[in-house]
Amino acid sequence: MSTSETRLRSLIDEHLDLGREPNMDGGFSDSGVSSLNAVAFMRIVEREFGIVVPPEDCGKLGTFRDLVAYVDAKTG
C-alpha cells in the first residue's frame, strides 16, 4: 500500500463517515457519498497533498483507487 493510499484511507475515515472500510475499487456514489460531500472531500485531498484536481479530471476518477493513482502521479 502506498503512502498516499494510507493517507487517503485516513481522510476517507475522517471525513466521509462511511461506517466501514472503504472499497478502494468503488467510488463516491458506490459508497453512498453525495456529490456535495464528494466535492468537499476533493478540496480536502487537494489541501492535504498540495495538488489541484481540475473538474475535468474529477470526472475521470471513477474509484478511490483511481484517486490514489492520480495523487501518486501528481505528487511523484
Side-chain angles (χ1 to χ4, degrees):
M1 186 178 319
S2 71
T3 301
S4 58
E5 181 173 346
T6 301
R7 287 171 64 194
L8 276 169
R9 284 178 180 269
S10 293
L11 291 173
I12 290 168
D13 289 343
E14 184 178 339
H15 296 282
L16 294 182
D17 193 29
L18 300 180
R20 64 188 181 291
E21 183 75 20
N23 174 8
M24 297 306 283
D25 294 315
F28 291 106
S29 62
D30 299 328
S31 298
V33 176
S34 71
S35 58
L36 183 62
N37 287 339
V39 170
F41 182 75
M42 290 305 293
R43 299 302 156 248
I44 292 166
V45 169
E46 289 178 325
R47 281 192 307 268
E48 177 73 18
F49 291 97
I51 62 173
V52 174
V53 183
E56 59 271 14
D57 286 353
C58 287
K60 299 174 189 173
L61 304 173
T63 67
F64 292 121
R65 196 166 312 284
D66 292 341
L67 180 55
V68 169
Y70 185 88
V71 168
D72 283 344
K74 291 291 187 177
T75 59

